[in-house]
Amino acid sequence: MPVVSLAVGSDVMVYPGRMPVLWQRLCDTLERVDLPVGVSQSICARLAETGKCRQEPLCIYLSRDTARFTPATDKSQARARLGWPARNVVAIYVGGLVESKGMNELAAAAESLLRKLHGLQLVGVGDGPCRDKMAALAGRLGRKDAIILPGNVAPDHVPLYLQASDFLVLPSYSEGLPQAVIEAMDCGLAVVATRVGGVPEAVIDGQTGLLVEPKNIDQLHNAMERMIGDEAFRLAAGRAGLARAREVFDSQRNAARFAETLWSLARGGSAPKAD
């Protein structure tokens, strides 16, 4: 029976580089696998770098529910449901509030913007050890709507938070291909994110959003400032991102391709070549 493996992020991009035993385990596993699969081109390239793959790694982008992740029909109504001011520019982060997701850099980059721009609001959906740091920043600012930390929200409620926002910010140190980025693009949001892992496969710098280097506070600050101040660019990037999400990351097409590959392997064939 053919064996297929799936790599999604830190399992390949981070931990094997930190621990030689995990690198060796990855190599040993790939030698036994008929087809390695990754959720981004960058992960597939990392798998190929081991020199242990029996077939060329196959990139299959993960699916999501595009019936729920859609642009807001009325953003002001979405904000009213959440109790947010109607006229603010809302930057949203979705994920764990942890250091490796760039929370320290986000706090540092956002503080001066939040002090200067009273119409700016930062929303952090998720929880983690950096929540206290973000809450402390909110306290220093002395403006109750400056930073909103709803904690972990039910998956069914995440689309509403995105639909009520203006752009996503994701300053991670490493990623596979974050679903938060694709889901935000599905909701018509521009994206500010770090140039790591598979993020550049989704976010085209200057077209669907802005890319910055990880841990670079100045670049993050400047990208956020542009996204806040240039509404025409922000809206155009959101439209371009929506089109790219629906074209490149089409769930049905990717699922059909994966199914075709698995059937081919089961019949004793090889995996189709990448597009």
Side-chain angles (χ1 to χ4, degrees):
M1 179 179 293
V3 176
V4 177
S5 65
L6 177 65
V8 298
S10 297
D11 52 345
V12 170
M13 305 298 284
V14 177
Y15 299 125
R18 294 178 180 174
M19 301 178 63
V21 65
L22 294 182
W23 176 260
Q24 186 59 52
R25 185 170 297 176
L26 172 63
C27 292
D28 292 344
T29 299
L30 291 172
E31 287 182 323
R32 301 186 182 95
V33 167
D34 295 285
L35 176 65
V37 176
V39 300
S40 70
Q41 297 288 353
S42 63
I43 288 178
C44 289
R46 180 67 165 165
L47 293 171
E49 285 174 5
T50 65
K52 302 297 183 179
C53 297
R54 296 163 62 180
Q55 288 201 53
E56 179 183 351
L58 178 69
C59 177
I60 296 292
Y61 294 121
L62 294 177
S63 63
R64 70 278 178 212
D65 188 349
T66 53
R68 292 192 302 119
F69 290 96
T70 60
T73 55
D74 186 339
K75 193 178 291 288
S76 62
Q77 187 177 59
R79 292 183 176 184
R81 290 177 61 186
L82 293 169
W84 298 355
R87 297 182 180 276
N88 283 354
V89 175
V90 179
I92 188 169
Y93 166 87
V94 180
L97 303 185
V98 297
E99 184 176 348
S100 62
K101 292 293 185 179
M103 289 297 97
N104 291 333
E105 290 76 13
L106 179 57
E111 181 166 3
S112 62
L113 293 171
L114 288 163
R115 290 189 184 281
K116 179 172 62 174
L117 305 170
H118 285 192
L120 173 62
Q121 179 175 312
L122 177 63
V123 177
V125 175
D127 208 350
C130 290
R131 179 185 175 88
D132 290 345
K133 185 180 187 70
M134 301 301 288
L137 173 57
R140 291 198 303 274
L141 292 169
R143 181 161 57 89
K144 67 177 182 179
D145 65 340
I147 299 178
I148 295 177
L149 301 170
N152 291 322
V153 305
D156 286 347
H157 293 165
V158 173
L160 175 62
Y161 279 83
L162 291 172
Q163 290 161 352
S165 301
D166 291 297
F167 67 95
L168 177 82
V169 58
L170 187 70
S172 305
Y173 298 169
S174 67
E175 288 286 354
L177 182 60
Q179 287 292 89
V181 166
I182 308 301
E183 291 166 352
M185 292 165 63
D186 280 327
C187 292
L189 300 190
V191 177
V192 172
T194 41
R195 189 180 282 104
V196 294
V199 172
E201 297 170 40
V203 182
I204 308 303
D205 191 32
Q207 297 180 30
T208 67
L210 297 170
L211 293 175
V212 302
E213 296 305 316
K215 303 184 181 182
N216 192 313
I217 295 170
D218 289 340
Q219 286 187 13
L220 182 60
H221 174 279
N222 292 341
M224 292 178 66
E225 188 171 42
R226 181 183 177 189
M227 201 65 77
I228 294 160
D230 191 342
E231 182 181 18
F233 170 72
R234 186 175 72 237
L235 294 176
R239 291 191 296 269
L242 173 62
R244 182 168 179 79
R246 297 296 165 84
E247 178 184 356
V248 176
F249 302 98
D250 180 85
S251 295
Q252 290 188 340
R253 185 172 67 244
N254 283 315
R257 182 168 176 239
F258 196 24
E260 177 189 357
T261 298
L262 295 177
W263 276 114
S264 177
L265 285 173
R267 289 192 293 265
S270 59
K273 293 293 184 182
D275 295 338

